[in-house]
Amino acid sequence: MPWWASLIIWLFVIIPLVGVAIAAVVAPILERRHLVDLGEREAAVEGMTVHDLSSAVVEAGPVHPQMVTGSAVMGVDWWKGFMLFLVNIVGGDVPSVDRVTTRARREAILRMTEEASALGAVEVVNTRIETSTITNRKGNSGKGSGEILVHGTALVPR
Amino acid sequence: MIIVNTEQVPGYRITQVKGLAQGNTIRAKHIGRDIGAGLKNLVGGELTGYTELLSESREQATARMKEVAAAMGANAIVNVRFTTSSVASGAAELYAYGTAVVVVAEGD
C-alpha cells in the first residue's frame, strides 16, 4: 500500500471511528451530568414566574424593568453526528440530536432566569427564544452547532 | 437607560418616541477558539468559547444601541430585538435594535 493510501485511511476512517467511539462513551456521561446540574439549578429558581405574555401577571406594586438575556451554544457530539448521518440515509427524526437543542434551550432559559433572580426580580415577562446558526458551514467544528438566545424583561420591585 | 423587550415599560409611561436605535458588531472567532470548539465538539455539550464570544458581541451591540439612543435624547429603549447571522465563514454579525423613547415613572 502506498504511503498516501494509508494516510487517507487514517484521516478518513480510523480517526473518525475512534472519535465516534470516544463520543459514544463520554457524551452520555457528560449529558447526564448536565441534566442533573440543570435540575438542581432549576429547583433553585423555582419561585420565579417566567412567561411570554407582554404584561405582568404577578401583583408586586411598582416595578423597575430590566432586560435579561441568556444564551448557550451546544455542539452535537461525533456519536450523534454519526447517527444523524445514518438516519439521513433513510430519513426520519433523530431523537438523540433533538435532546441537544432541548438541553441548550433549558440552559439558556435558566441563565436568563438566574440573571433575573440575581437582580431580585419577581417575574420575567415577554420571554423570546431565538435559534440561530452562527458557525461556518464548511468547517467540521461548526457542524450542527447553533446558538440559542433567550431574552425577556425582568420586573424588579422598586 | 431602561432597556426592555416589551412594547410598554411596566411602571413607566412613554411620553415621546424618538425613533429607531440600532447597534451592530461583527466578530470573528480566533483560530484557537475554533480548534478548542472543534475538540470539545467531539464529545458534545456546551461550546463555552462560542457562548462567551457571542455574549460579549451582544453586549457590545447593545452598548452601541444605547449610545445611539442616548444621542437621540431618549432615556429608554423598548421592544428590543436581536438578530444573529453569519455574514462570512467564521464571522458572526450581532444586531440589536429597538425604539428609543422618553419615559416618566407613573405617578410623577
Side-chain angles (χ1 to χ4, degrees):
Chain A
M1 196 157 41
W3 66 272
W4 52 265
S6 57
L7 182 73
I8 287 174
I9 290 175
W10 269 97
L11 274 182
F12 296 101
V13 180
I14 297 175
I15 293 175
L17 284 180
V18 169
V20 166
I22 293 173
V25 176
V26 180
I29 299 170
L30 293 179
E31 185 175 340
R32 220 166 301 135
R33 205 176 286 172
H34 186 217
L35 288 174
V36 169
D37 179 55
L38 279 175
E40 281 169 4
R41 284 157 62 208
E42 273 169 357
V45 292
E46 213 174 26
M48 184 82 66
T49 312
V50 178
H51 57 80
D52 64 353
L53 305 173
S54 58
S55 52
V57 295
V58 177
E59 215 42 74
V63 289
H64 181 81
Q66 192 175 335
M67 190 143 111
V68 283
T69 57
S71 61
V73 182
M74 289 280 175
V76 176
D77 66 72
W78 285 21
W79 168 249
K80 291 195 180 78
F82 180 65
M83 296 296 283
L84 189 60
F85 166 76
L86 292 184
V87 173
N88 247 325
I89 297 169
V90 289
D93 77 347
V94 192
S96 59
V97 177
D98 68 25
R99 281 210 304 272
V100 174
T101 50
T102 306
R103 265 164 64 207
R105 222 161 265 137
R106 273 176 76 184
E107 179 69 48
I109 293 171
L110 190 55
R111 283 186 182 156
M112 180 191 76
T113 313
E114 283 173 344
E115 192 186 328
S117 174
L119 291 169
V122 286
E123 71 174 310
V124 180
V125 304
N126 210 39
T127 306
R128 294 285 176 268
I129 302 169
E130 288 166 26
T131 313
S132 55
T133 316
I134 37 87
T135 42
N136 50 342
R137 270 155 234 142
K138 40 179 196 182
N140 251 342
S141 63
K143 196 176 169 191
S145 58
E147 194 211 14
I148 309 287
L149 165 65
V150 180
H151 55 103
T153 298
L155 301 182
V156 186
R158 260 191 280 189
Chain B
M1 182 78 73
I2 297 169
I3 297 178
V4 294
N5 68 350
T6 47
E7 277 188 37
Q8 298 292 322
V9 189
Y12 291 78
R13 197 173 65 246
I14 295 174
T15 57
Q16 219 181 333
V17 175
K18 294 287 190 184
L20 201 63
Q22 48 196 314
N24 74 334
T25 177
I26 296 179
R27 287 252 181 138
K29 38 197 187 351
H30 69 71
I31 193 126
R33 265 179 172 157
D34 244 3
I35 293 168
L39 289 176
K40 184 68 212 296
N41 211 24
L42 175 75
V43 292
E46 179 160 19
L47 307 176
T48 325
Y50 287 158
T51 307
E52 275 168 19
L53 179 82
L54 283 159
S55 23
E56 280 164 21
S57 319
R58 192 165 303 112
E59 268 162 37
Q60 195 175 28
T62 312
R64 286 183 183 165
M65 175 178 75
K66 259 188 193 172
E67 276 170 30
V68 171
M72 284 173 164
N75 66 357
I77 307 171
V78 296
N79 216 25
V80 172
R81 297 284 178 264
F82 290 114
T83 63
T84 313
S85 55
S86 46
V87 283
S89 82
E93 187 199 25
L94 274 294
Y95 178 61
Y97 61 97
T99 303
V101 295
V102 176
V103 295
V104 291
E106 253 156 27
D108 285 1

